[in-house]
């Protein structure tokens, strides 16, 4: 077998002209999910977190869909996001807990990009296993936090898959 790599022309988006009549590209690479179905995620994940001493609450948030507060052991979800976005965000925040990202705030600050890539990758995989596509949000989120560095994604794959399997098992009980 002879392997070869073809020479291809590649353009950066700024080197191209828009197609007349085509929808403009979104300025925000993450598009929140809008569905009204949680795909069976919210109740079992909430019960799992509560059995581990965490609380899941809703609050008005303007710049995030949710966050995890290790001091108060609370997962906060934005109160004005769709049910589907809430489910994806709850998986993401659960991944932060399962991956021990919140064990040290200093460590999180030092490696935030990698940790966000891991948590969102887990959310993407687990959501897919439960029948909903989060790519309109997850791909842009992961790309942004990885600074488009594919090695970050590759280097986190084993941790992502281990956490995704653990969360998926929790949801399948």
């Amino acid at each position: 077998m002879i392997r070869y790599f073809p020479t291809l022309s590649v353009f950066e988006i700024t080197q191209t002209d828009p197609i007349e009549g085509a929808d403009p590209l979104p300025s925000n690479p993450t598009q929140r999910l809008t569905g009204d179905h949680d795909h069976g995620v919210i109740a079992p994940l909430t019960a799992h977190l509560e059995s581990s001493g965490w609380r899941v609450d809703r609050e008005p948030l303007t710049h995030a869909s949710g966050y995890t507060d290790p001091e108060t052991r609370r997962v906060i979800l934005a109160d004005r996001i769709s049910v589907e976005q809430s489910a994806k965000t709850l998986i993401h925040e659960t991944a932060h807990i399962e991956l021990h990202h919140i064990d040290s705030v200093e460590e999180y600050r030092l490696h935030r990009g990698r940790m966000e890539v891991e948590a969102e990758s887990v959310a993407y995989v687990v959501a897919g296993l439960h029948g909903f596509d989060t790519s309109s949000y997850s791909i842009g989120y992961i790309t942004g936090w990885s600074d488009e560095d594919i090695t970050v994604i590759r280097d986190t794959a084993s941790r992502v898959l281990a956490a995704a399997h653990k969360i998926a098992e929790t949801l399948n009980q």
Side-chain angles (χ1 to χ4, degrees):
M1 174 188 283
I2 298 173
R3 292 182 189 228
Y4 69 96
F5 298 94
T7 302
L8 302 173
S9 297
V10 180
F11 296 94
E12 209 281 323
I13 192 71
T14 59
Q15 296 174 302
T16 63
D17 294 321
I19 298 171
E20 193 172 315
D23 292 334
L25 292 172
S27 59
N28 182 354
T30 59
Q31 304 298 312
R32 283 194 172 162
L33 307 175
T34 58
D36 59 0
H37 182 42
D38 82 337
H39 305 275
V41 168
I42 293 176
L45 269 190
T46 299
H48 168 72
L49 290 170
E50 288 175 348
S51 73
S52 301
W54 290 85
R55 262 189 27 224
V56 178
D57 293 321
R58 293 217 177 236
E59 291 183 4
L61 301 176
T62 55
H63 299 298
S65 296
Y67 68 93
T68 300
D69 183 345
E71 280 189 30
T72 61
R73 293 186 62 85
R74 292 180 357 160
V75 171
I76 311 300
L77 301 176
D79 63 349
R80 294 181 186 229
I81 58 176
S82 73
V83 173
E84 195 171 52
Q85 182 72 32
S86 296
K88 191 231 44 94
T89 302
L90 188 57
I91 299 168
H92 175 105
E93 298 304 328
T94 302
H96 278 307
I97 294 166
E98 294 295 337
L99 290 162
H100 303 282
H101 291 164
I102 46 82
D103 291 356
S104 166
V105 175
E106 294 79 24
E107 190 73 14
Y108 175 79
R109 286 184 183 136
L110 283 172
H111 304 287
R112 185 174 182 193
R114 180 183 53 80
M115 291 181 181
E116 290 299 328
V117 166
E118 287 180 347
E120 191 61 25
S121 296
V122 169
Y124 179 74
V125 170
V126 173
L129 291 171
H130 282 271
F132 64 111
D133 179 10
T134 67
S135 59
S136 64
Y137 187 90
S138 296
I139 300 301
Y141 192 95
I142 293 164
T143 301
W145 280 107
S146 69
D147 289 328
E148 300 180 20
D149 182 355
I150 195 74
T151 59
V152 173
I153 297 165
R154 189 178 305 119
D155 291 347
T156 62
S158 64
R159 288 176 46 80
V160 165
L161 291 175
H165 286 292
K166 187 171 182 180
I167 293 170
E169 285 176 22
T170 297
L171 290 171
N172 291 329
Q173 291 178 353

